[in-house]
Amino acid sequence: MKKTYKIEVDCANCANKMEDAARKTAGVSSATVNFMTQKMIVEFEDGREPKQVMQNVLKNCKKVEDDCEIFF
C-alpha cells in the first residue's frame, strides 16, 4: 500500500535526512520525500498498519530533524 503525506521541512538536506530515516523504519518498503511539494510518499510492507508505522516514521524523523512535521 502506498500513501502520500503532507510534511513540513525547512530545507532539501533535511528532506533527504527524513527520507533516509523513513526508509529505515520497520514496516516501510520505500519512502520518497519531495522538498519542493512538501510531500512524503511511503510504501508500506504487506500486512502493516499505516498509522502505526507512520508514528514510528515520525519518531525516527524527529531524531534527525526535531522540528519536522508529518501530517497523517
Side-chain angles (χ1 to χ4, degrees):
M1 176 189 310
K2 199 180 263 193
K3 288 192 163 214
T4 302
Y5 299 94
K6 182 174 175 1
I7 62 167
E8 220 173 80
V9 62
D10 297 332
C11 67
N13 187 43
C14 300
N16 287 334
K17 290 178 184 178
M18 286 179 64
E19 187 174 291
D20 287 341
R23 286 182 179 157
K24 294 176 183 173
T25 304
V28 174
S29 58
S30 72
T32 306
V33 174
N34 186 316
F35 170 68
M36 296 303 288
T37 61
Q38 296 282 297
K39 293 194 181 196
M40 174 185 277
I41 301 169
V42 180
E43 188 168 350
F44 300 95
E45 294 174 352
D46 289 338
R48 299 303 293 256
E49 175 58 44
K51 189 160 184 139
Q52 286 179 321
V53 173
M54 286 307 295
Q55 289 173 347
N56 291 330
V57 168
L58 181 59
K59 284 181 195 171
N60 289 341
C61 287
K62 284 198 176 275
K63 287 178 186 173
V64 294
E65 262 323 301
D66 63 344
D67 64 344
C68 74
E69 288 296 333
I70 304 172
F71 303 97
F72 51 93

